[in-house]
Amino acid sequence: MSANPITLRRAGPQDAADIARIMSQPEVLANLMQLPYPDVEQWRQRLAEQLLPGKTDLSLVAVRGGEVVGSAGLHPVGERLRRRHAAVLGISIPLEHQGTGVGRVLMQSLLDYADDWGQILRIELTVFADNERAIKLYRHFGFEQEGLLRGFALRQGVYEDVVTMARWHPNPPARK
């Protein structure tokens, strides 16, 4: 583990190249629902849109020693009134920084935001069934498996299974 502390900040258009770099690593890409050859300009536009008034996305980057070493986000499931209590979570960490605490720091921060500020009761995700490291991280933070979707996503020419997981707010807000 590095001696440099991990700091977090909201991701912005200036982080597009770093996020594209992380997601272009073959070992990272293989565990994401992204396509190869991420486009920096598309990421720049996506990150800029998330900062517009009224948007409820929260995208974070983890920085260690001046380098972006991970990214994660909470995104609304959709605009439908009956699903506004739910968000989807995504996370990506370069191979050389996996297992160094970056994922735990990003997850804790996203969950703190969801529980204390985001009015999010349910966080959903899908993870490739063979991604044991990620599943272990999600379970550590209270996510439970809800299903197995067979042949859900094409990955390197093979239709792979994913696990659906969700976490409910552990102590939903009440009026004081």
Side-chain angles (χ1 to χ4, degrees), residues 3 17 42 63 66 72 92 97 107 111 116 137 152-153 156 158 161 163:
Q42 285 179 332
V63 179
S92 60
H97 294 283
M107 288 291 294
L111 297 178
D116 296 341
L137 176 70
F152 181 80
Q156 298 173 327
V158 177
D161 299 346
V163 172

Side-chain angles (χ1 to χ4, degrees), residues 67-86:
E67 176 187 7
V68 173
V69 295
S71 67
L74 281 174
H75 309 284
V77 169
E79 296 294 321
R80 295 184 188 132
L81 180 61
R82 294 177 63 185
R83 291 283 285 148
R84 287 192 186 161
H85 67 289

